[in-house]
Amino acid sequence: MTKALISIVDDDESIRRTTTFLIESFGFRAAAFESAEDLLKSVRLHETSCLIVDVQMPGMSGLQLQSRLAAEGIGVPIIFVTAYDNKTLRHQAKQAGAVAFLGKPFNDEELLEGIRLALRGKLEATRDLIAVVDDDESIRRTTTLLIESFGFRAIAFESAESFLQSGQQHNTSCLILDVRLPQMNGLQLQRELAAAGCSIPIVFITAYDDKESRGRAMKAGAVAFLGKPFSDEQLLQILRAALGHNKGGSTSM
């Protein structure tokens, strides 16, 4: 995975240099700019995961840069730094959505905490979403907790219909689907998604395994067909394969 790029905008060359070294020591990539105008002209802006911006700079100030980015719909988290801290500037920056407002000199821990805070939402949003569709409430609850313990996001539905109505199929990275459901069953949902051109990897789970259902599910492209109860290790291995575009092939267990 590519390391997050943190961009520094400060007219003080020594601040740019020391902050760049510090960011790289945290394990991130860093890019430095001596003015807001330079950042706006750079292609690196669109790679940037977090901005560290001086409040007072020649030309466009930090607050003006914040307003410009917001107007252009560029939602990069911003950490402001300044040697001239005051309540009015701090309030304006925070009200406009700044993640943090640090007075110079700031220490390593303050900056790292600010960056973590800035990246938290971005990392959360990019974690894979695993949807669970099962009419058994206890299965939904335990499977959701298990998925979250693997580091993924999880969302659960009690029926195929509720999953389709939610619109979450467009955000779902993998679907864990019970075969037998009231009304629309798992195999019917698989066909419905395929007909709609929605190619979500599907892991079928069932307490009533039979060769016919297994064969139909796998022939239609299911990633795996698991009998309940399944182990944590089985599910994690299959999710990894599914999220890796199923390079390991389909699994029947």
Side-chain angles (χ1 to χ4, degrees):
M1 183 178 293
T2 303
K3 294 186 291 183
L5 175 67
I6 314 299
S7 290
I8 306 120
V9 185
D10 199 303
D11 60 312
D12 185 326
E13 194 275 333
S14 66
I15 294 291
R16 293 197 303 274
R17 185 177 63 252
T18 56
T19 307
T20 296
F21 289 150
L22 186 56
I23 289 167
E24 290 175 343
S25 76
F26 294 153
F28 303 109
R29 294 179 297 142
F33 303 89
E34 63 179 346
S35 70
E37 292 84 355
D38 285 348
L39 171 71
L40 291 170
K41 290 185 292 187
S42 172
V43 296
R44 306 302 295 277
L45 172 60
H46 301 288
E47 300 175 46
T48 298
S49 299
C50 175
L51 275 172
I52 298 172
V53 181
D54 192 14
V55 175
Q56 297 187 350
M57 295 183 289
M60 184 182 294
S61 71
L63 293 174
Q64 289 171 330
L65 173 61
Q66 182 184 38
S67 298
R68 171 75 173 271
L69 293 173
E72 295 183 8
I74 301 173
V76 183
I78 296 176
I79 298 170
F80 281 105
V81 295
T82 184
Y84 307 98
D85 193 1
N86 69 63
K87 289 184 179 180
T88 301
L89 290 176
R90 181 180 289 266
H91 177 72
Q92 288 177 4
K94 287 298 192 73
Q95 192 173 48
V99 172
F101 198 101
L102 303 179
K104 298 178 184 177
F106 47 83
N107 61 42
D108 299 7
E109 291 76 16
E110 284 179 309
L111 183 60
L112 180 56
E113 179 59 29
I115 292 172
R116 283 175 173 165
L117 185 63
L119 296 181
R120 189 173 299 155
K122 188 174 288 288
L123 293 174
E124 175 69 19
T126 57
R127 285 192 301 162
D128 288 298
L129 177 66
I130 314 299
V132 181
V133 180
D134 199 303
D135 60 317
D136 186 325
E137 194 275 332
S138 66
I139 294 292
R140 292 197 305 274
R141 184 178 64 253
T142 55
T143 307
T144 296
L145 291 172
L146 182 59
I147 289 165
E148 290 176 342
S149 76
F150 296 154
F152 304 115
R153 293 181 295 145
I155 189 168
F157 302 90
E158 64 180 350
S159 69
E161 291 84 358
S162 61
F163 174 65
L164 290 172
Q165 290 164 7
S166 73
Q168 289 292 342
Q169 62 267 33
H170 305 295
N171 304 317
T172 298
S173 299
C174 183
L175 176 61
I176 297 175
L177 178 60
D178 193 14
V179 176
R180 295 192 180 186
L181 295 166
Q183 298 181 54
M184 183 184 292
N185 65 36
L187 294 172
Q188 290 170 328
L189 176 57
Q190 182 185 36
R191 289 198 297 272
E192 181 88 6
L193 292 171
C198 190
S199 57
I200 306 171
I202 297 176
V203 177
F204 278 102
I205 56 176
T206 185
Y208 307 97
D209 193 0
D210 69 82
K211 288 184 179 180
E212 183 182 353
S213 294
R214 180 185 290 266
R216 287 165 59 191
M218 301 303 285
K219 187 175 181 180
V223 172
F225 199 100
L226 294 179
K228 298 177 185 176
F230 46 82
S231 71
D232 299 4
E233 292 76 15
Q234 279 180 308
L235 185 60
L236 178 57
Q237 181 182 6
I238 287 165
L239 287 176
R240 284 175 172 166
L243 297 174
H245 306 289
N246 200 24
K247 290 176 183 176
S250 298
T251 303
S252 182
M253 296 183 181

